[in-house]
Amino acid sequence: MSTASVIVIGNEILSGRTRDENLAWLAVELNKIGVQLREARVIPDIEETIIKTVNELRSQYDFVFTSGGIGPTHDDITSETIAKAFDVAYICNGEARAILANHYGEENLNEARLKMAHLPEGASLIENPVSAAPGFMIGNVVVMAGVPIIMQAMFANIKNQIKGGKPVLSETLSIFLTEGIIAKGITEIQNNFPDVEIGSYPFIKNGRLGTSLVSRNIEQARIDEVVAKIKSFVSELGGEIEVIA
Amino acid sequence: MSTASVIVIGNEILSGRTRDENLAWLAVELNKIGVQLREARVIPDIEETIIKTVNELRSQYDFVFTSGGIGPTHDDITSETIAKAFDVAYICNGEARAILANHYGEENLNEARLKMAHLPEGASLIENPVSAAPGFMIGNVVVMAGVPIIMQAMFANIKNQIKGGKPVLSETLSIFLTEGIIAKGITEIQNNFPDVEIGSYPFIKNGRLGTSLVSRNIEQARIDEVVAKIKSFVSELGGEIEVIA
């Protein structure tokens, strides 16, 4: 099992102007490739904060994925800041420059656009099929754009280089009993199956209160055992069950 | 200007099962009451992680808002853990118990439901008009439910006790020029108005590439000055402008 954290970089998320979509998307996609997302942070475009956060998280998790701040404008400081976090030079990457020259035309490669070819020394490029300017990977840190469509395309182009484990499987039982009624019995099942993570989430559907019980493990057989126990317990209480695979 | 951080607590967000809505909502609402959201974290239901995160952030920011983990089930560990973070007892709060007894009936107040009356000693309650079980505030930490409708109702009931400053105002100019074209000029304007935060965000609308330029300050007059400078600069370049107040 590999572990990861996500850093969403951008004042616009913290000010409420932009609703982040990248965290939820990455949570799902990382799980598919057997990488467990352990923590996410949303931080502003402040050099000191970015350096501190990247260095703290890259030492704690197998991979760190960042989104945001790699464009051509004054508030795009992620690439230069990551170079400082790794204590390497921030240089014009020849391969990235060639991609941009091909995309914009050499004559249109102004200072702002050239900024997008400046990367930490030693970074390897992540292709951007949407708008050319590449993302990059350095050490265990994957640096991607903030625009969701571009971030997703970059992730598709890097994910084969991310060494994950077995994906965590899950099965959800949605039952029309409230958490307060089932908590004691579910706690007993959880205690008997400590390796299977049982999450309990209240919901309201068509005006009826209920609870979704999500069993998670890398082995389907263990999930099946827990689901059978939960079903049997709920039946005893006379609860109605909806299964969501 | 007061500062805040938000901690979203819950494995279900990190696994991708549930898409968090609380961060984006709080970002907007905090700004309205003059509290600047400086950082947000999404962390799992792990005692050690919650304690470390709460203690780190409550010493850094004026307020910390948490969502998630205050229900009756085994995976709801936020309240007990916050007591540990503050090094105070985790006790049955008489006022909270009375609210729950009134809601469920004394005869239905089982162990799981009583758990929701257990809070850190010294916490003051936050009323929950949706499902009775209260949130609470201790020190500068506001502890709320994870279910968005309940979290929002709790926030409405606590926000008068949050001392904010002047709200940050903003004005957005959406222009049909790409970031690479305008970056240099916008950087100059930003350098001349260092107190006004200018954010630059690319967009695609009806197949046309453009940039949203967001000017933010607590004084409308300063925003007006910057917006005028940007309009004049964009006109010189022949760009088309859409104003979004």
Side-chain angles (χ1 to χ4, degrees):
Chain A
M1 172 64 69
S2 298
T3 61
S5 61
V6 165
I7 309 175
V8 175
I9 302 170
N11 295 348
E12 70 276 22
I13 311 293
L14 294 168
S15 73
R17 182 193 175 270
T18 304
R19 181 181 281 258
D20 169 64
E21 298 175 21
N22 293 335
L23 169 58
W25 190 88
L26 282 169
V28 171
E29 296 300 316
L30 287 170
N31 188 53
K32 284 185 191 165
I33 60 171
V35 176
Q36 195 170 32
L37 178 58
R38 288 276 176 85
E39 182 174 354
R41 298 198 189 178
V42 184
I43 60 172
D45 303 305
I46 295 175
E47 181 180 291
E48 185 193 349
T49 307
I50 298 172
I51 292 175
K52 184 171 165 285
T53 304
V54 167
N55 281 342
E56 186 179 332
L57 296 180
R58 73 185 172 102
S59 69
Q60 274 181 51
Y61 302 104
D62 295 324
F63 299 101
V64 174
F65 296 84
T66 80
S67 76
I70 62 169
T73 54
H74 66 281
D75 56 346
D76 290 307
I77 64 169
T78 298
S79 301
E80 184 168 9
T81 304
I82 299 258
K84 290 184 183 171
F86 277 85
D87 199 18
V88 298
Y90 174 64
I91 55 158
C92 186
N93 179 297
E95 193 186 344
R97 191 190 186 289
I99 290 169
L100 294 173
N102 183 54
H103 180 75
Y104 291 111
E106 184 68 39
E107 68 283 10
N108 299 317
L109 209 51
N110 62 19
E111 194 185 340
R113 286 170 173 160
L114 263 178
K115 184 181 162 193
M116 296 190 286
H118 283 70
L119 305 178
E121 190 162 22
S124 55
L125 302 193
I126 304 173
E127 198 185 332
N128 168 1
V130 180
S131 55
F136 62 89
M137 185 165 181
I138 178 166
N140 60 345
V141 179
V142 175
V143 178
M144 302 182 291
V147 178
I149 189 176
I150 303 176
M151 199 275 311
Q152 292 171 20
M154 286 180 174
F155 185 82
N157 284 334
I158 191 69
K159 71 178 182 184
N160 290 339
Q161 293 173 53
I162 305 298
K163 199 174 155 52
K166 286 188 181 177
V168 175
L169 307 173
S170 70
E171 190 161 330
T172 300
L173 293 176
S174 288
I175 65 177
F176 287 99
L177 290 171
T178 60
E179 285 193 311
I181 299 290
I182 59 166
K184 193 177 172 196
I186 298 300
T187 301
E188 280 168 21
I189 297 171
Q190 177 69 87
N191 290 341
N192 290 333
F193 294 85
D195 60 312
V196 178
E197 180 193 311
I198 306 176
S200 174
Y201 311 111
F203 67 81
I204 302 174
K205 188 173 171 182
N206 301 329
R208 292 174 76 191
L209 286 168
T211 307
S212 286
L213 294 165
V214 182
S215 302
R216 306 181 81 236
N217 194 274
I218 53 171
E219 301 296 345
Q220 184 63 45
R222 290 296 283 169
I223 293 176
D224 292 344
E225 285 182 74
V226 167
V227 166
K229 291 282 181 197
I230 296 175
K231 281 184 179 172
S232 147
F233 164 66
V234 171
S235 297
E236 279 168 34
L237 290 179
E240 187 188 326
I241 299 180
E242 267 184 32
V243 182
I244 304 163
Chain B
M1 173 63 69
S2 297
T3 61
S5 60
V6 164
I7 309 174
V8 175
I9 303 170
N11 295 347
E12 72 275 23
I13 311 293
L14 293 167
S15 73
R17 180 193 176 269
T18 303
R19 180 180 282 256
D20 170 64
E21 299 176 20
N22 293 335
L23 169 57
W25 190 88
L26 283 170
V28 172
E29 296 301 316
L30 287 170
N31 188 54
K32 284 185 191 165
I33 60 170
V35 176
Q36 195 170 33
L37 179 58
R38 288 275 177 85
E39 181 174 355
R41 298 198 189 177
V42 184
I43 59 172
D45 304 304
I46 295 175
E47 181 180 291
E48 186 192 348
T49 308
I50 298 173
I51 292 175
K52 184 171 166 285
T53 305
V54 167
N55 281 340
E56 187 179 332
L57 297 181
R58 73 185 172 102
S59 69
Q60 275 181 52
Y61 302 105
D62 296 324
F63 298 100
V64 174
F65 296 84
T66 79
S67 76
I70 63 168
T73 54
H74 66 280
D75 56 346
D76 290 308
I77 63 169
T78 298
S79 301
E80 184 169 7
T81 305
I82 300 260
K84 289 183 183 171
F86 277 85
D87 199 18
V88 299
Y90 175 63
I91 55 158
C92 186
N93 178 297
E95 194 186 344
R97 192 190 186 289
I99 290 169
L100 295 173
N102 182 55
H103 180 75
Y104 290 112
E106 185 68 41
E107 68 282 12
N108 298 317
L109 208 52
N110 63 20
E111 193 185 339
R113 286 169 172 160
L114 263 178
K115 183 182 162 193
M116 294 189 288
H118 282 71
L119 306 177
E121 190 162 22
S124 55
L125 303 192
I126 303 173
E127 198 184 334
N128 168 0
V130 179
S131 56
F136 62 90
M137 184 164 181
I138 179 167
N140 60 346
V141 179
V142 175
V143 178
M144 302 182 290
V147 177
I149 188 175
I150 303 176
M151 198 276 308
Q152 293 172 19
M154 287 179 174
F155 185 81
N157 285 334
I158 191 70
K159 72 177 182 185
N160 290 338
Q161 293 173 54
I162 305 298
K163 200 175 155 51
K166 286 188 180 178
V168 175
L169 307 174
S170 70
E171 190 160 332
T172 300
L173 293 176
S174 286
I175 65 179
F176 288 100
L177 290 171
T178 60
E179 285 193 309
I181 298 291
I182 59 166
K184 193 177 171 195
I186 297 300
T187 301
E188 280 168 22
I189 297 172
Q190 176 71 85
N191 289 341
N192 289 334
F193 294 85
D195 60 313
V196 178
E197 179 192 313
I198 306 176
S200 175
Y201 312 110
F203 67 81
I204 302 173
K205 188 173 172 183
N206 300 330
R208 294 174 74 191
L209 285 169
T211 307
S212 287
L213 294 165
V214 182
S215 302
R216 306 180 82 236
N217 194 274
I218 54 171
E219 302 296 344
Q220 185 63 44
R222 289 297 282 170
I223 293 176
D224 291 344
E225 286 183 74
V226 167
V227 166
K229 291 283 181 195
I230 296 175
K231 281 184 178 170
S232 144
F233 163 67
V234 171
S235 297
E236 280 168 33
L237 289 180
E240 185 189 325
I241 298 180
E242 266 184 35
V243 182
I244 302 163

